[in-house]
């Protein structure tokens, strides 16, 4: 079997032919209708994108190339002595579409190790930022500084044939995934550990080495990182970080520009930043109530207070999901196995029993159940990572696996520049008076 790049290209070429055929025969097939309310309400429920790497079902949750999270935990190769999947294996699965063997994953790990050098000017750029800059700001600035290394940008400037776009995107995607843990760990050690940096350990897997560079060599934390990097990697194509990366990439911006844009979206509190908001909210609750272990009644009272103050309960609700997020469940299982008596983790479980009926009683929230962000912070705090404003960077490193695999597919399938139609309310009003023609009628 050839290299990962060759396997990807083979799969992409065959799907491109299939898609051409599908569109030739069924291109006019109507797959849905759009109501006026949807264009004012975040395009919720409008199918308008193709993303090959994963698919979200409102009731069942995420499946990566058809595999649920428990199935990934069972079928993907693991580190020696470990029981959580190696995220490099998920990357392979999302990119190629087949489950990797242990040898396939080893090859991805060593390929990433070879590509992991971060040039000094990236660290200098991070150092130029005030230390109190938010870690996500430092992360995005560092990704932009790293853009000097883009194969795509250089080859495009030299007149690359459009048939080769995918090839340059593939190399940039691999380089970025290889280098992001080093950059993220640098930001963490700079901001919270007096700039005492830790050199990579080339004998470790991608997530294990990330844990090591962050300063956590505990095997439990390494296992948590493997699970964390796996479950946060992708959530189909319409979420803000995935959609933004795809959209910016559609203008043929290189993967560094596209991924940095996606990370700016991930930094929003309704998206990835919710993971820091959850722990901040729980810490504030504990401080206000002066207890490490608030009762369910106290939690309920605090939730009502949060809602009355016009704030969201972080970690709850979802634009597509309509049940408990299986990514929450996977983390709950991890907690039961590794830290069942941890008071913060138990508080997360008590919140899970308390919040949904309260949100449900409001009558307007479509999904009262927890999402991925409701649990992750408590597991990190257990191992000593209490600096919650760093959490979204961890999410970002993981999300690179999904959105960059998708970007490879975008260019390999030659998807065009994205450009949906927008309208003004004046035009809507004229439609309603019967004066204008509504598209599609
Ligand atoms: N707490 C309080 N109110 C909530 C809520 C929550 N957790 N979730 C939804 N609502 C409110 C909405 O703000 C909206 O109120 P208004 O009508 O007054 O504007 C109403 O309920 C209806 O919203 P919805 O259709 O159920 O939810 P949306 O699809 O619009 O939004 C989401 C989805 C995730 C942004 C929202 O549930 C939310 O803000 N949750 C808290 C933040 C969070 O955990 N985000 C992380 C999501 C996962 C991720 O991307 O990482």
């Amino acid at each position: 079997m050839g290299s990962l790049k060759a396997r990807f290209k083979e799969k992409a070429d065959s799907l491109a032919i299939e898609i051409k055929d599908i569109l030739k025969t069924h291109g006019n097939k109507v797959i849905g209708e759009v109501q006026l309310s949807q264009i004012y309400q975040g395009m919720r429920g409008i199918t308008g994108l193709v993303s090959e790497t994963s698919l979200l079902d409102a009731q069942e949750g995420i499946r990566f190339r058809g595999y649920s999270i428990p199935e990934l935990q069972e079928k993907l190769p693991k580190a020696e002595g470990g029981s959580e999947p190696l995220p490099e294996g998920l990357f392979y699965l999302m990119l190629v579409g087949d489950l990797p063997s242990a040898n396939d994953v080893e090859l991805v790990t060593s390929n990433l190790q070879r590509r992991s050098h971060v040039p000094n000017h990236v660290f200098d750029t991070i150092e130029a930022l005030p230390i109190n800059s938010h870690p996500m700001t430092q992360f995005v600035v560092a990704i932009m500084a790293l853009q000097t290394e883009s194969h795509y940008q250089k080859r495009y400037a030299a007149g690359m044939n459009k048939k080769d776009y995918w090839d340059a995107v593939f190399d940039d995607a691999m380089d970025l995934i290889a280098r992001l843990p080093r950059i993220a760990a640098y930001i963490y050690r700079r901001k919270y550990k007096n700039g005492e940096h830790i050199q990579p350990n080339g004998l470790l897997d991608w997530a294990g080495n990330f844990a090591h560079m962050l300063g956590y060599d505990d095997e439990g934390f390494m296992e948590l990182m493997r699970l964390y990097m796996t479950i946060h990697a992708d959530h189909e194509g319409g979420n803000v970080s995935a959609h933004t990366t795809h959209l910016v990439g559609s203008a043929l911006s290189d993967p560094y520009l596209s991924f940095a844009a996606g990370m700016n979206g991930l930094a929003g509190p309704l998206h990835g930043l919710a993971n820091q908001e959850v722990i901040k909210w729980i810490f504030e609750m504990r401080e206000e109530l002066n207890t490490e272990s608030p009762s369910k009644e106290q939690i309920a009272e605090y939730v009502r207070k949060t809602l009355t103050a016009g704030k969201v309960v972080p970690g709850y609700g979802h634009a597509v999901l309509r049940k408990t997020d299986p990514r929450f469940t996977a983390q709950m299982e991890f907690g039961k196995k590794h830290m069942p008596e941890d008071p913060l983790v138990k508080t997360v479980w008590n919140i899970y029993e308390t919040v949904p009926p309260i949100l449900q009683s409001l009558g307007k929230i479509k999904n009262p159940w927890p999402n991925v962000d409701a649990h992750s912070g408590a597991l990190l705090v257990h191992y000593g990572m209490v600096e919650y404003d760093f959490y979204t960077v961890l999410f970002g490193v993981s999300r690179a696996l999904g959105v960059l695999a998708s970007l490879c597919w975008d260019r390999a399938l030659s998807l065009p520049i994205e450009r949906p139609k927008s309208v003004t309310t004046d035009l809507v009003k004229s439609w309603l008076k019967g004066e204008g023609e509504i598209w599609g009628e």
Side-chain angles (χ1 to χ4, degrees), residues 310-326:
K311 297 191 263 184
V312 294
V313 179
Y316 281 76
H318 200 271
V320 181
L321 269 174
R322 295 294 176 258
K323 63 159 252 193
T324 297
D325 191 335

PDB file of all heavy atoms in Angstrom, residues 310-326:
ATOM      1  N   GLY A 310     -30.111  36.956  32.481  1.00  0.00           N
ATOM      2  CA  GLY A 310     -30.049  37.051  31.015  1.00  0.00           C
ATOM      3  C   GLY A 310     -28.836  36.360  30.428  1.00  0.00           C
ATOM      4  O   GLY A 310     -28.338  36.755  29.373  1.00  0.00           O
ATOM      5  N   LYS A 311     -28.341  35.339  31.118  1.00  0.00           N
ATOM      6  CA  LYS A 311     -27.166  34.614  30.607  1.00  0.00           C
ATOM      7  C   LYS A 311     -27.558  33.182  30.237  1.00  0.00           C
ATOM      8  O   LYS A 311     -28.558  32.660  30.739  1.00  0.00           O
ATOM      9  CB  LYS A 311     -26.059  34.594  31.679  1.00  0.00           C
ATOM     10  CG  LYS A 311     -25.568  35.997  32.024  1.00  0.00           C
ATOM     11  CD  LYS A 311     -24.324  35.963  32.850  1.00  0.00           C
ATOM     12  CE  LYS A 311     -24.645  36.116  34.325  1.00  0.00           C
ATOM     13  NZ  LYS A 311     -23.484  36.183  35.190  1.00  0.00           N
ATOM     14  N   VAL A 312     -26.739  32.556  29.408  1.00  0.00           N
ATOM     15  CA  VAL A 312     -27.001  31.149  29.087  1.00  0.00           C
ATOM     16  C   VAL A 312     -26.341  30.265  30.143  1.00  0.00           C
ATOM     17  O   VAL A 312     -25.389  30.677  30.804  1.00  0.00           O
ATOM     18  CB  VAL A 312     -26.460  30.743  27.691  1.00  0.00           C
ATOM     19  CG1 VAL A 312     -27.207  31.466  26.586  1.00  0.00           C
ATOM     20  CG2 VAL A 312     -24.951  30.956  27.563  1.00  0.00           C
ATOM     21  N   VAL A 313     -26.869  29.064  30.297  1.00  0.00           N
ATOM     22  CA  VAL A 313     -26.201  28.065  31.138  1.00  0.00           C
ATOM     23  C   VAL A 313     -25.171  27.392  30.235  1.00  0.00           C
ATOM     24  O   VAL A 313     -25.530  26.659  29.309  1.00  0.00           O
ATOM     25  CB  VAL A 313     -27.204  27.015  31.678  1.00  0.00           C
ATOM     26  CG1 VAL A 313     -26.476  25.979  32.535  1.00  0.00           C
ATOM     27  CG2 VAL A 313     -28.299  27.708  32.465  1.00  0.00           C
ATOM     28  N   PRO A 314     -23.875  27.656  30.465  1.00  0.00           N
ATOM     29  CA  PRO A 314     -22.883  27.144  29.516  1.00  0.00           C
ATOM     30  C   PRO A 314     -22.798  25.624  29.543  1.00  0.00           C
ATOM     31  O   PRO A 314     -22.935  24.994  30.597  1.00  0.00           O
ATOM     32  CB  PRO A 314     -21.568  27.783  29.986  1.00  0.00           C
ATOM     33  CG  PRO A 314     -21.794  28.181  31.405  1.00  0.00           C
ATOM     34  CD  PRO A 314     -23.267  28.417  31.576  1.00  0.00           C
ATOM     35  N   GLY A 315     -22.572  25.046  28.346  1.00  0.00           N
ATOM     36  CA  GLY A 315     -22.439  23.583  28.262  1.00  0.00           C
ATOM     37  C   GLY A 315     -23.761  22.883  28.012  1.00  0.00           C
ATOM     38  O   GLY A 315     -23.788  21.655  27.884  1.00  0.00           O
ATOM     39  N   TYR A 316     -24.838  23.644  27.943  1.00  0.00           N
ATOM     40  CA  TYR A 316     -26.157  23.026  27.698  1.00  0.00           C
ATOM     41  C   TYR A 316     -26.777  23.607  26.432  1.00  0.00           C
ATOM     42  O   TYR A 316     -26.609  24.788  26.127  1.00  0.00           O
ATOM     43  CB  TYR A 316     -27.081  23.230  28.916  1.00  0.00           C
ATOM     44  CG  TYR A 316     -26.705  22.226  29.987  1.00  0.00           C
ATOM     45  CD1 TYR A 316     -25.558  22.415  30.763  1.00  0.00           C
ATOM     46  CD2 TYR A 316     -27.414  21.048  30.136  1.00  0.00           C
ATOM     47  CE1 TYR A 316     -25.156  21.459  31.681  1.00  0.00           C
ATOM     48  CE2 TYR A 316     -27.017  20.081  31.050  1.00  0.00           C
ATOM     49  CZ  TYR A 316     -25.888  20.293  31.816  1.00  0.00           C
ATOM     50  OH  TYR A 316     -25.484  19.334  32.704  1.00  0.00           O
ATOM     51  N   GLY A 317     -27.487  22.755  25.689  1.00  0.00           N
ATOM     52  CA  GLY A 317     -28.131  23.176  24.445  1.00  0.00           C
ATOM     53  C   GLY A 317     -27.269  22.838  23.246  1.00  0.00           C
ATOM     54  O   GLY A 317     -26.061  22.600  23.369  1.00  0.00           O
ATOM     55  N   HIS A 318     -27.912  22.777  22.100  1.00  0.00           N
ATOM     56  CA  HIS A 318     -27.179  22.537  20.859  1.00  0.00           C
ATOM     57  C   HIS A 318     -28.068  22.899  19.670  1.00  0.00           C
ATOM     58  O   HIS A 318     -29.284  22.737  19.733  1.00  0.00           O
ATOM     59  CB  HIS A 318     -26.741  21.067  20.735  1.00  0.00           C
ATOM     60  CG  HIS A 318     -25.622  20.894  19.760  1.00  0.00           C
ATOM     61  ND1 HIS A 318     -25.843  20.681  18.424  1.00  0.00           N
ATOM     62  CD2 HIS A 318     -24.281  20.961  19.921  1.00  0.00           C
ATOM     63  CE1 HIS A 318     -24.672  20.600  17.804  1.00  0.00           C
ATOM     64  NE2 HIS A 318     -23.714  20.766  18.685  1.00  0.00           N
ATOM     65  N   ALA A 319     -27.415  23.371  18.597  1.00  0.00           N
ATOM     66  CA  ALA A 319     -28.174  23.788  17.419  1.00  0.00           C
ATOM     67  C   ALA A 319     -28.771  22.600  16.658  1.00  0.00           C
ATOM     68  O   ALA A 319     -29.788  22.733  15.989  1.00  0.00           O
ATOM     69  CB  ALA A 319     -27.279  24.609  16.493  1.00  0.00           C
ATOM     70  N   VAL A 320     -28.146  21.435  16.749  1.00  0.00           N
ATOM     71  CA  VAL A 320     -28.623  20.274  15.986  1.00  0.00           C
ATOM     72  C   VAL A 320     -29.028  19.122  16.917  1.00  0.00           C
ATOM     73  O   VAL A 320     -30.106  18.536  16.752  1.00  0.00           O
ATOM     74  CB  VAL A 320     -27.529  19.777  14.999  1.00  0.00           C
ATOM     75  CG1 VAL A 320     -28.032  18.578  14.194  1.00  0.00           C
ATOM     76  CG2 VAL A 320     -27.095  20.900  14.052  1.00  0.00           C
ATOM     77  N   LEU A 321     -28.189  18.804  17.889  1.00  0.00           N
ATOM     78  CA  LEU A 321     -28.454  17.663  18.783  1.00  0.00           C
ATOM     79  C   LEU A 321     -29.744  17.856  19.577  1.00  0.00           C
ATOM     80  O   LEU A 321     -30.061  18.964  19.996  1.00  0.00           O
ATOM     81  CB  LEU A 321     -27.313  17.527  19.793  1.00  0.00           C
ATOM     82  CG  LEU A 321     -26.152  16.627  19.434  1.00  0.00           C
ATOM     83  CD1 LEU A 321     -25.064  16.753  20.495  1.00  0.00           C
ATOM     84  CD2 LEU A 321     -26.608  15.177  19.337  1.00  0.00           C
ATOM     85  N   ARG A 322     -30.441  16.757  19.834  1.00  0.00           N
ATOM     86  CA  ARG A 322     -31.651  16.818  20.643  1.00  0.00           C
ATOM     87  C   ARG A 322     -31.627  15.782  21.757  1.00  0.00           C
ATOM     88  O   ARG A 322     -32.669  15.287  22.197  1.00  0.00           O
ATOM     89  CB  ARG A 322     -32.903  16.635  19.745  1.00  0.00           C
ATOM     90  CG  ARG A 322     -33.104  17.760  18.755  1.00  0.00           C
ATOM     91  CD  ARG A 322     -33.438  19.098  19.460  1.00  0.00           C
ATOM     92  NE  ARG A 322     -33.535  20.218  18.532  1.00  0.00           N
ATOM     93  CZ  ARG A 322     -32.573  21.132  18.349  1.00  0.00           C
ATOM     94  NH1 ARG A 322     -31.448  21.073  19.016  1.00  0.00           N
ATOM     95  NH2 ARG A 322     -32.753  22.134  17.512  1.00  0.00           N
ATOM     96  N   LYS A 323     -30.444  15.396  22.189  1.00  0.00           N
ATOM     97  CA  LYS A 323     -30.299  14.501  23.334  1.00  0.00           C
ATOM     98  C   LYS A 323     -28.916  14.715  23.943  1.00  0.00           C
ATOM     99  O   LYS A 323     -28.134  15.506  23.410  1.00  0.00           O
ATOM    100  CB  LYS A 323     -30.513  13.041  22.926  1.00  0.00           C
ATOM    101  CG  LYS A 323     -29.504  12.518  21.923  1.00  0.00           C
ATOM    102  CD  LYS A 323     -29.412  11.023  21.915  1.00  0.00           C
ATOM    103  CE  LYS A 323     -28.099  10.596  22.536  1.00  0.00           C
ATOM    104  NZ  LYS A 323     -27.721   9.221  22.347  1.00  0.00           N
ATOM    105  N   THR A 324     -28.632  14.002  25.038  1.00  0.00           N
ATOM    106  CA  THR A 324     -27.308  14.150  25.648  1.00  0.00           C
ATOM    107  C   THR A 324     -26.222  13.841  24.621  1.00  0.00           C
ATOM    108  O   THR A 324     -26.261  12.804  23.949  1.00  0.00           O
ATOM    109  CB  THR A 324     -27.173  13.198  26.857  1.00  0.00           C
ATOM    110  OG1 THR A 324     -28.133  13.590  27.836  1.00  0.00           O
ATOM    111  CG2 THR A 324     -25.783  13.264  27.457  1.00  0.00           C
ATOM    112  N   ASP A 325     -25.275  14.735  24.517  1.00  0.00           N
ATOM    113  CA  ASP A 325     -24.183  14.605  23.550  1.00  0.00           C
ATOM    114  C   ASP A 325     -23.341  13.362  23.894  1.00  0.00           C
ATOM    115  O   ASP A 325     -22.862  13.232  25.027  1.00  0.00           O
ATOM    116  CB  ASP A 325     -23.330  15.883  23.672  1.00  0.00           C
ATOM    117  CG  ASP A 325     -22.294  16.048  22.576  1.00  0.00           C
ATOM    118  OD1 ASP A 325     -21.877  15.028  21.999  1.00  0.00           O
ATOM    119  OD2 ASP A 325     -21.906  17.205  22.334  1.00  0.00           O
ATOM    120  N   PRO A 326     -23.168  12.435  22.952  1.00  0.00           N
ATOM    121  CA  PRO A 326     -22.337  11.259  23.267  1.00  0.00           C
ATOM    122  C   PRO A 326     -20.894  11.628  23.640  1.00  0.00           C
ATOM    123  O   PRO A 326     -20.202  10.849  24.275  1.00  0.00           O
ATOM    124  CB  PRO A 326     -22.367  10.420  21.978  1.00  0.00           C
ATOM    125  CG  PRO A 326     -22.955  11.282  20.935  1.00  0.00           C
ATOM    126  CD  PRO A 326     -23.735  12.370  21.607  1.00  0.00           C
TER     127      PRO A 326
END
